[in-house]
Amino acid sequence: MGLPGLIKSDLDAVLKNDPAAKSALDVIVNHTPFHTILMHRLVHPLHNAGMPILPRFLLNITKIWSGVEVHPGAKIGRGFFIDHGAGVVIGETAELGNDCILFHNVTLGGTGKHSGKRHPTIGN
């Protein structure tokens, strides 16, 4: 699935799971966790291409805006939805399958290892 398809699947996930989301335009304008997911979708390929600073900087801006912290290295499947995103943290080596839903104050944080796979994996 390409980038436009991933973004559409995330938008559809918000519309499906959030009764307060009245339309696609409402989500695009007002759903701040979606803003962070969208930014992650845009910068994850840059991170994978070996450009780590710009992707982290852009996601730090969305963290200030949304309260959701996602490392650009995290692997996130299609149809991802975060409801009430304040306090959500997704670490660098976290992996999330398709159609995952997270709520506020969820941390997919490190295990204390300093290298390798350090963050949880969540299936579909």
Side-chain angles (χ1 to χ4, degrees), residues 16-77:
K16 174 184 173 186
N17 292 295
D18 188 348
K22 303 304 182 198
S23 67
L25 180 60
D26 182 31
V27 172
I28 292 166
V29 172
N30 294 312
H31 198 276
T32 55
F34 177 76
H35 299 158
T36 298
I37 296 166
L38 174 62
M39 183 59 73
H40 180 271
R41 298 293 188 202
L42 296 173
V43 302
H44 181 71
L46 297 175
H47 175 82
N48 287 345
M51 296 187 283
I53 295 171
L54 179 62
R56 287 195 70 186
F57 175 75
L58 293 172
L59 279 167
N60 280 333
I61 291 171
T62 59
K63 175 179 64 175
I64 293 166
W65 173 255
S66 69
V68 177
E69 180 178 350
V70 181
H71 192 282
K75 296 177 185 170
I76 300 174

Side-chain angles (χ1 to χ4, degrees), residues 90-91 93-96 107-111 117-122:
I90 302 173
T93 62
E95 298 178 42
L96 288 83
T107 299
L108 302 178
T111 60
K117 176 80 167 122
R118 312 182 303 284
H119 301 88
T121 297
I122 299 175

Side-chain angles (χ1 to χ4, degrees), residues 81-95:
F81 172 62
I82 300 172
D83 196 13
H84 303 290
V88 170
V89 178
I90 302 173
E92 179 181 22
T93 62
E95 298 178 42

